[in-house]
Amino acid sequence: MRPHRIFSRLLPLCTLALLAVGCVGSTTAPGDRASAPTPATPAPAADASGGDSGAIASLSFENFAEIETSMGSMLFELHAEQAPRTVANFQRLVRDGFYDGQPFYRVVAGHVIQAGDGGENDQPTVPPEFGGQHVTGTLGLARDEAPDSGSTEIYVCLEPRPHLDGRYAAFGRLVSGFDVLAAIGAVPVTEKFLENDIAFHEPVEPVLIRTIRLLTDAPES
């Protein structure tokens, strides 16, 4: 089986910046330290001092996020107590409409679906808030090899991925829409592998985020 890792996809001039996530049970998969394309220079990380400057200033009381996709909607509970700056950054991007129309450009069965604009932006990065468990439906922030390089690219785990625990910011968890997540994870893909046989499979038919809504409470079923 080929190893799976999480990427923050950067495509300036067709380059791809990889993230260092090894296969299950390892901290560094064979070949993880091979030379990787140089990513675009990110904006400075948000202030990690605990003050109001940086992304944490925009943290709001919306505890849920509904991601409406072209295949249905998924509702996530956000874990601001666990990853306040990551959640605040995500809320800011949602309010700005950043994710509207963005694709799930990576779908790897048994691993993750991943969305965003591929990192082709000048959005600020977020200080690392590595914690939480990567179970089915975990919402996380992808990053490059640098711990503080997470910014805009998000992923959702299709199955438990315990080897990601403590290495990526898990900032939310799916509470409804598991059928939609499973359907996205099962779409036909064009298989693509980057350096070191890293799976970066792309859906044959685009799966789009139509919009994301921030909610104070979970809607009644």
Side-chain angles (χ1 to χ4, degrees):
M1 179 178 294
R2 296 177 188 266
H4 294 317
R5 304 197 308 199
I6 293 197
F7 288 70
S8 174
R9 189 183 70 167
L10 296 172
L11 291 171
L13 300 179
C14 299
T15 61
L16 289 166
L18 61 83
L19 276 80
V21 175
C23 56
V24 176
S26 67
T27 56
T28 303
D32 273 1
R33 298 303 176 189
S35 298
T38 302
T41 302
D47 178 27
S49 64
D52 285 339
S53 59
I56 197 169
S58 63
L59 183 63
S60 64
F61 292 104
E62 289 99 350
N63 298 316
F64 295 87
E66 184 181 26
I67 300 180
E68 180 185 338
T69 80
S70 54
M71 296 183 66
S73 294
M74 298 179 287
L75 181 68
F76 294 84
E77 182 177 15
L78 303 179
H79 297 165
E81 75 289 347
Q82 179 175 287
R85 288 168 177 79
T86 305
V87 169
N89 181 67
F90 175 73
Q91 291 172 330
R92 175 185 61 81
L93 291 167
V94 169
R95 287 194 296 269
D96 290 346
F98 175 84
Y99 293 105
D100 295 358
Q102 299 290 1
F104 282 97
Y105 55 75
R106 183 188 185 204
V107 173
V108 182
H111 186 43
V112 301
I113 61 175
Q114 188 166 322
D117 72 346
E120 295 181 311
N121 58 67
D122 58 358
Q123 295 289 339
T125 57
V126 184
E129 295 178 310
F130 301 158
Q133 293 182 318
H134 284 77
V135 298
T136 301
T138 289
L139 176 65
L141 182 67
R143 63 177 177 84
D144 202 342
E145 289 188 334
D148 62 352
S149 58
S151 180
T152 60
E153 308 308 283
I154 57 175
Y155 62 89
V156 184
C157 293
L158 294 168
E159 294 182 6
R161 310 305 285 156
H163 63 295
L164 303 181
D165 295 352
R167 305 174 69 185
Y168 288 83
F171 67 94
R173 185 172 296 182
L174 186 66
V175 294
S176 67
F178 284 89
D179 56 335
V180 176
L181 175 62
I184 296 175
V187 298
V189 297
T190 299
E191 290 194 353
K192 296 182 179 180
F193 294 93
L194 305 186
E195 292 185 31
N196 304 317
D197 287 340
I198 303 305
F200 212 98
H201 305 335
E202 182 177 347
V204 174
E205 296 292 334
V207 180
L208 301 178
I209 294 176
R210 289 177 173 164
T211 193
I212 302 179
R213 287 177 286 272
L214 297 175
L215 306 170
T216 303
D217 299 300
E220 296 183 3
S221 56

